Amino acid sequence: MKSKLIVLGALTLAVNTAQAIHNAQHVYCVILAGGVGERLWPLSRQSKPKQLLAVGQTETLLEQSIDRVRSIVPQKNIRVCTTQQHTQGVADLVGDSIGNIIIEPGSRNTGPAILLSCCEIYEKDPQAVIVFLPADPFIPTKDTHIFSQFLEHAIDFVTHNDRIALFGAKPTYAATGYGYIEFDDMVQGQSPFPVKKFHEKPSLARAQEYIQSKTMLWNIGMFCAKASVFIDEFKQLASEMYDGVVSYRAGSTSYDAIKSDSIDYAVMEKSSRVSVLPVDFSWCDVGNIEIFLSIKNVCGGLNVSNVFETESHNNLVDVPNKLVALIGVDDLCIVETDHVLLITKRDEAEKVRAIVKQLKQKELTEYL
């Protein structure tokens, strides 16, 4: 199946664009940028993960994520949470445009990363409201304004309610690669709506059922709440993780000893304080090399002047320093880096992780 940029349908939501965010000095944004992005190999490597890759002509996914919150969050309150090995790369790229980098000694999934961020910010500002955003989705620049409106609405909601507000995207096709959020639309009042249940990545048949429902949304990993609410929920629902992070910050345990788990499993799926805001902006999870190249092509980031084809169709080529001649082949992704040539069918791009696994098993770390 060919990937597509996900353009959401028109969802109705009353957003007061003139409403100022309550005490903006207490609003923070943490961009989660700790992943490697193995499914984007060989473009995404240990030394340069996918959030540091440019999608269009110049700006990286991380820079785009930061740009989207500039009109709402003071620069000094913007943070990037990343692992020790990527700290220098993040600092070189965006160090002058954010307030601070929150450093994880290693990767322990999103749960510890979020709790560590909350503890560090809360210690300095107990009134903090924190927005958590992943560094790797693609949202077109033309949709920045509507994204900002939804973000303002979510921040205002959690400022006045001790709840966690998630963003949920209305499904546009039967996706099997995303988790789903079921919400209760019978509650009186304006969204966000209370979450009824989280659903794991479904089978195709189940996904086809989900898209017929008016109360099912994709979980796109964007959410906000008061720092105190996040910390309380970790303390109550993920006490082992909470104790581990507290001990690490006190210098009495290593970060590697902290339980590794996602925020979804650790807190969200157990919490009774989660609401979801249906959002209406174009969004795409840059989940594999085919999607990345498709977006890059739309944004004008692929050099097509060196690609010559005959009886060939629907190919994506990212080979910057060679002439590429394609004869009688269709639906391929072709990528070349300094030491790697990748050729895959577009609809088989997810399987690149099998190659990464083989490289790890053979300890060929120079290619990772």
Side-chain angles (χ1 to χ4, degrees), residues 333-347:
C333 291
I334 303 172
V335 174
E336 184 182 52
T337 64
D338 288 346
H339 304 292
V340 177
L341 175 66
L342 169 71
I343 303 172
T344 176
K345 293 180 181 178
R346 290 181 63 161
D347 59 5

Side-chain angles (χ1 to χ4, degrees), residues 209-327:
E209 293 176 12
Y210 287 171
I211 64 173
Q212 302 303 317
S213 171
K214 295 180 180 179
T215 59
M216 297 291 283
L217 303 167
W218 284 329
N219 185 353
I220 61 175
M222 301 179 181
F223 44 88
C224 64
K226 297 184 182 102
S228 59
V229 170
F230 279 122
I231 292 170
D232 285 346
E233 291 299 270
F234 274 101
K235 190 183 298 186
Q236 296 298 320
L237 304 173
S239 57
E240 182 181 350
M241 185 180 295
Y242 174 82
D243 291 341
V245 170
V246 170
S247 296
Y248 163 72
R249 296 189 74 238
S252 55
T253 191
S254 71
Y255 198 74
D256 287 342
I258 298 172
K259 182 178 179 180
S260 175
D261 208 350
S262 71
I263 181 70
D264 292 330
Y265 291 136
V267 172
M268 298 296 189
E269 295 184 4
K270 302 173 186 176
S271 177
S272 61
R273 302 166 77 179
V274 181
S275 297
V276 65
L277 177 63
V279 298
D280 189 16
F281 49 78
S282 300
W283 168 88
C284 186
D285 174 35
V286 188
N288 62 42
I289 197 74
E290 193 271 343
I291 297 173
F292 180 85
L293 293 180
S294 295
I295 296 171
K296 191 171 181 180
N297 187 44
V298 170
C299 294
L302 289 184
N303 176 20
V304 295
S305 64
N306 65 335
V307 180
F308 293 81
E309 300 180 80
T310 184
E311 298 182 13
S312 300
H313 309 281
N314 202 36
N315 298 296
L316 292 170
V317 180
D318 192 9
V319 179
N321 299 314
K322 287 186 175 69
L323 185 145
V324 180
L326 303 178
I327 303 171

